Amino acid sequence: MERGKLIVEKVEGKSTLTRCLSKYPMKFIVPKKVGSSQTDVVWIYTITYGGGIVSGDSIAFDFTVADSCIAVLTTQSSTKVYKSIASKCSQQLLEASIGRDALLVVIPDPVTCFSTARYSQTQNFTLATDSSLLLVDWITSGRHERGEKWAFSYYKSTNRILLQDGEPLFLDTTLLEQETHGAISDRMKDYQAIAMIVLLGPKLQQIQKQTEEDVKKIMSQQFSFPSNSSSKPDMKPDFVASCSRFGPKGMGVVVRVASMTTEAIYSFLQHQLASMEELVGAPPYR
């Protein structure tokens, strides 16, 4: 499999994209300016020829963020995965290395799988002990306007975060497959999107703390009932979130979200990540 390559390094004291090699069907777009010119950051957008990932596509690229650099990897719109032909599975692989005192921000729009689509992605991150990583990984139920609701055949997303010595910090896999335990739509009920947000490293400590407080507040409101209520109403909340620590001394935070609308997750991300503007020059998901 041919692999793309991205390298961000310090050149004359500024984070600079020094290598950009894309391989079909993926292409990288690097705007000269995103947001404030006062921030030292490189923004990179990924796009695919044809507007989506076609059945059987294999995409792989390496991303190196050198010491003390900041880079953002994002998309222009949702990643569409087209219908599977002859049960072929589309695949995407990202191998990222983050240097000392560096920050990588991975904030794509959600994956949207069409009916019968089969898609697997793996993202591996190798960090120094003082590296920072913001990762958002999420998926919608499909094309609502076509009446598709969790109608794809297979979706698998694996995220691994390792230290440079190989010590694992975080290993996570989301697997949604038709018929293994019944239809996906039966298991997901009325929820239309799910997301995972990982906040790791010294540059994100304040956001970690604020997010933990906000998630606790959101869920206490969702599950609070009047004191004079004799029984809890038989209804599912529109938005569910959880938050937990991981790694040595709880150095990382993982947030998991399920929502009955994609828009609610966008709003959640906009609010929680608004202060990232100071680091990356523009507020994510605006």
Side-chain angles (χ1 to χ4, degrees), residues 113-133:
C113 293
F114 289 18
S115 174
T116 75
R118 300 180 64 85
Y119 177 68
S120 176
Q121 71 173 19
T122 300
Q123 300 183 126
N124 298 321
F125 303 91
T126 302
L127 291 74
T129 54
D130 60 351
S131 304
S132 297
L133 171 67

Side-chain angles (χ1 to χ4, degrees), residues 3-49:
R3 302 170 74 99
K5 185 174 286 291
L6 295 164
I7 299 177
V8 174
E9 300 173 289
K10 285 287 188 180
V11 177
E12 297 181 352
K14 290 184 66 65
S15 298
T16 306
L17 185 66
T18 58
R19 179 124 190 237
C20 180
L21 174 65
S22 57
K23 293 293 184 180
Y24 183 87
M26 178 168 281
K27 182 179 180 180
F28 303 117
I29 296 178
V30 185
K32 291 184 179 180
K33 180 181 178 182
V34 177
S36 172
S37 60
Q38 303 301 313
T39 50
D40 178 28
V41 60
V42 176
W43 281 70
I44 302 165
Y45 289 80
T46 63
I47 63 172
T48 51
Y49 291 93

Side-chain angles (χ1 to χ4, degrees), residues 9-115:
E9 300 173 289
K10 285 287 188 180
V11 177
E12 297 181 352
K14 290 184 66 65
S15 298
T16 306
L17 185 66
T18 58
R19 179 124 190 237
C20 180
L21 174 65
S22 57
K23 293 293 184 180
Y24 183 87
M26 178 168 281
K27 182 179 180 180
F28 303 117
I29 296 178
V30 185
K32 291 184 179 180
K33 180 181 178 182
V34 177
S36 172
S37 60
Q38 303 301 313
T39 50
D40 178 28
V41 60
V42 176
W43 281 70
I44 302 165
Y45 289 80
T46 63
I47 63 172
T48 51
Y49 291 93
I53 298 176
V54 176
S55 176
D57 275 352
S58 290
I59 298 169
F61 63 102
D62 302 320
F63 194 173
T64 299
V65 184
D67 294 352
S68 302
C69 291
I70 299 177
V72 177
L73 186 67
T74 187
T75 55
Q76 292 183 313
S77 61
S78 65
T79 299
K80 300 173 182 64
V81 183
Y82 296 127
K83 292 185 176 185
S84 176
I85 299 174
S87 297
K88 292 180 180 178
C89 185
S90 305
Q91 301 178 62
Q92 182 164 307
L93 171 65
L94 165 62
E95 296 278 359
S97 175
I98 309 171
R100 295 187 61 84
D101 192 38
L103 167 65
L104 174 59
V105 177
V106 182
I107 46 171
D109 293 284
V111 172
T112 297
C113 293
F114 289 18
S115 174

Side-chain angles (χ1 to χ4, degrees), residues 226-244:
S227 57
N228 60 355
S229 175
S230 59
S231 62
K232 297 179 181 180
D234 184 19
M235 58 183 297
K236 293 185 289 292
D238 295 343
F239 186 94
V240 179
S242 68
C243 193
S244 57

